[in-house]
Amino acid sequence: MLDDLPAIAENPTVRASAGAVELLGSPYWNRETPHNGYRPVVLASYAADWHVGSGDPFHFHATNLVLHLAATLLVAWLGASLLESRLAGLFSGLLFAVHPLHAEAVAHISGRSDLLATTLLLAALAARAAGRGRRARTRVLAEAAALLAFGLALLSKETAAVGPALALLVDAALERSATRSAAGGVDRRAWARRQAAPLACWLAVLAGCILLRGAVLGTLSVEFRAFEELGLAPAERARVAFSVLADELKLFFFPDPLLAQRAVNLLPLRNTGPAGAAAGGALLVLGLPAVLAGSLRRGRGTVAASAAWTAIALLPASNLLLPIGVLQADRLLYLPSVGIAWLLGDLAARAWSGPGPSPAAAPPPGLAGPARLVYAARVFVVALCAASFGATAARNEAWQTRADLYADCLLQEPENPWTHAAASRLLLEEGRMVAAEAAATRALELLPSYPLALEARGLARMGRGLTAEALEDLTRARFAAPTARRIMNRGVLLATAGRAVEAETELRAAAAAAPGDAEVLNALGAFLAAAHREEEALPLLERAARRDPAHAAIRANLGLARLALGDLRGLGDLREAVARAGADAGVLFRAGAALVRAGAVEEGIAALERASRSAAAPPGAHDALGLALVRAGRPGEARRVAADMKAAGLRPTGEFARWLDAR
């Protein structure tokens, strides 16, 4: 669901189980977009799961659970060291494991990038912590292991770039704990000198990964039009970013509602005006240093370290430093929540400590007041863990299917335009064009000029044959937030409307924007082939087929182009297209008709029979089947096709109709 489709199911790099060199040279998504990421470690894990389980989702979910368990153990181990209490570490790990906020990162397969980045970063910090106070050789090996884990974390998700800052924070907290009893406390200068060389190595690894990312993607910049997608003017962006940050901080302690995508039109600071936004921003920006300073002054280093971890880890996800791929999502809080888990674990351990009975036993009648408070605190801790587990289990139910997820989001936030737009895309895939148009229209009522909804409504109207209305929506979406796919969709519609010159201009613009996108290359190649320009189309379709060898529609178009040029390899392409088409009636119809024309009549008839039996059979599929049966010398079966058409309210057309009239 959601990102699983372009990142896994539609990603040829994953399905082909590519080698290490190809993985290192591949962008994260299956298509080139302005916000394409670089996460070869994640792709390698997807490819391994695909190879082992032949695409079975069970293996992907099992890997996510293993990674979450590893992260939980590392949170507990580091927490025990930082908090100087095994009990506090145990509670930290337990609360991290069952926090409802983690449902998206674990249950959603594409949340693996956050799981891997966080787990590997925690492993790097654990390696450094394990090497403290050891012999020089052991420390060097620990630092080397930490650098390797940090590099892999960076190649899992860009949010791991905060690793050097977190490494300094954890080492400072451990140093403070180790020297608490020493006269004079921490020697800050000596500590800084010891950190200089490791920090330089961490920064060198960070720089190397940034350069590698730039070499693969062709740019060092990060470009994503999240604010433009939501129709936000520059003056509103800071207010929305601060509103998102405030909501994220609330979710750590009160995780309700939990949604796949937050609604920008419902964020509390969106419409508070400049004064409200400034007050909210000042509270968030100035409040954290105040908490840190107060905690350190009172000797509460745990609170300070936990708050600092959360603040540092939140920065990449806040849209304050630079725009990222989404405005707000629960999975982005997986790494920042480590600090919250330590804070809550420390508080739970303090509440649990002290004289008192076990939480399962009732307090004796004569129990003194302080002991009763300890008993009540223990009961509260157990209840908190149980409630978190129950909320997580309930949240996981919503991640079973996309329909379940959208229904859950609509139930909790019926005014969320993203959910209506996303539901519209799901309805499009199911062929329910009227319902898809209605859902997209509702999204536009909530957030006018929302490009995602405009695109969905345009595609729905295109499916209904409302060319003029569809063109208006797709044009608005294309110019509001241009992406290669939106430009392509407008070009395809222009071609359908007979505006060939404009269609070619748009399709070539889409191919220039995403030269590695197989869908875009296929659209341009199919357009040129339909215009009898097969020699121009063939190189484009061959590139598309190399990029996505399992794509049935691409393989069919390639076969048609090759046969038009007299290349008999096209027959093999058509046969492969039929084998991979599944329930795609359009591909079966085109490939089957072409096989009949090329002389492979029986194979073509089999494909046309599958196409005509489909509920989404394209116009002409029954006629093509009937005519193929006539040519195969099977007139009785052709007449049965005509009878089936009559029963379904369809009228034979073209050559098949003329054959029937002659009989």
Side-chain angles (χ1 to χ4, degrees), residues 605-619:
I605 288 174
L608 290 170
E609 285 177 338
R610 288 170 58 191
S612 61
R613 286 195 298 266
S614 170

Side-chain angles (χ1 to χ4, degrees), residues 116-191:
L116 269 171
T118 300
T119 303
L120 288 166
L121 190 52
L122 287 170
L125 300 178
R128 291 198 80 211
R132 284 178 55 86
R134 302 295 181 90
R135 294 180 303 173
R137 177 183 174 84
T138 304
R139 288 199 306 272
V140 170
L141 290 175
E143 286 289 352
L147 289 172
L148 175 61
F150 174 53
L152 293 174
L154 286 171
L155 297 179
S156 299
K157 192 165 185 178
E158 298 80 357
T159 50
V162 297
L166 295 178
L168 288 177
L169 173 67
V170 169
D171 200 273
L174 292 174
E175 184 75 9
R176 181 183 179 87
S177 299
T179 59
R180 181 174 299 164
S181 59
V186 179
D187 185 342
R188 293 187 176 88
R189 290 186 178 181
W191 176 80

Side-chain angles (χ1 to χ4, degrees), residues 37 81 249 259 271 317 335 358 389 575 609 635 662:
S81 301
L249 291 172
L259 299 168
N271 299 309
L335 177 61
S358 67
F389 178 80
R575 291 185 177 110
E609 285 177 338

Side-chain angles (χ1 to χ4, degrees), residues 243-585:
S243 182
V244 168
L245 189 58
D247 196 49
E248 288 172 339
L249 291 172
K250 183 214 71 167
L251 288 172
F252 286 128
F253 302 98
F254 305 100
D256 182 66
L258 294 173
L259 299 168
Q261 182 84 359
R262 304 287 159 180
V264 67
N265 61 318
L266 301 180
L267 291 172
L269 294 184
R270 171 90 192 276
N271 299 309
T272 56
L283 180 64
L284 293 171
V285 173
L286 300 178
L288 179 62
V291 170
L292 293 176
S295 300
L296 290 173
R297 195 164 45 245
R298 291 173 174 79
R300 296 174 182 171
T302 300
V303 175
S306 301
W309 175 289
T310 302
I312 293 169
L314 269 176
L315 279 177
S318 67
N319 281 292
L320 290 173
L321 294 180
L322 73 167
I324 60 171
V326 293
L327 190 68
Q328 185 181 20
D330 297 343
R331 64 184 180 275
L332 299 179
L333 305 182
Y334 193 76
L335 177 61
S337 68
V338 172
I340 301 299
W342 286 336
L343 176 62
L344 295 177
D346 184 58
L347 294 175
R350 291 175 185 272
W352 194 273
S353 300
S358 67
L367 198 64
R372 283 185 174 274
L373 288 177
V374 171
Y375 173 83
R378 291 181 176 183
V379 171
F380 176 76
V381 169
V382 172
L384 176 63
C385 294
S388 296
F389 178 80
T392 299
R395 181 60 181 157
N396 284 338
E397 290 294 321
W399 282 95
Q400 298 298 313
T401 66
R402 278 189 289 172
D404 292 334
L405 181 64
Y406 299 154
D408 180 74
C409 290
L410 284 172
L411 181 65
Q412 296 192 64
E413 277 194 349
E415 303 294 299
N416 188 334
W418 173 83
T419 307
H420 291 282
S424 176
R425 299 303 295 255
L426 178 61
L427 293 167
L428 279 173
E429 294 175 16
E430 296 174 351
R432 299 164 61 185
M433 300 301 170
V434 175
E437 181 181 355
T441 300
R442 176 55 181 156
L444 289 168
E445 291 171 357
L446 296 168
L447 191 62
S449 301
Y450 187 18
L452 185 64
L454 285 169
E455 183 182 24
R457 190 171 71 174
L459 293 173
R461 288 175 168 175
M462 186 167 72
R464 295 183 60 201
L466 305 174
T467 304
E469 295 86 344
L471 186 58
E472 179 184 355
D473 285 335
L474 292 178
T475 299
R476 289 174 62 193
R478 181 254 192 269
F479 289 103
T483 66
R485 291 297 179 95
R486 286 180 185 145
I487 299 171
M488 178 197 75
N489 287 332
R490 184 171 183 269
V492 170
L493 183 57
L494 286 168
T496 304
R499 296 161 63 175
V501 175
E502 296 173 82
E504 183 173 353
T505 300
E506 285 289 81
L507 291 171
R508 290 194 181 279
D517 189 333
E519 284 283 356
V520 172
L521 294 171
N522 178 54
L524 178 56
F527 169 81
L528 294 172
H532 304 292
R533 296 158 62 182
E534 287 85 359
E535 290 186 356
E536 295 179 65
L538 189 58
L540 295 166
L541 294 171
E542 287 176 339
R543 282 170 54 196
R546 285 195 299 271
R547 179 69 181 144
D548 194 350
H551 197 299
I554 293 174
R555 190 60 64 179
N557 288 330
L558 177 60
L560 290 168
R562 281 177 168 168
L563 285 178
L565 294 172
D567 187 345
L568 293 181
R569 288 182 299 169
L571 281 173
D573 293 321
L574 293 174
R575 291 185 177 110
E576 188 172 349
V578 170
R580 296 182 179 276
D584 191 331

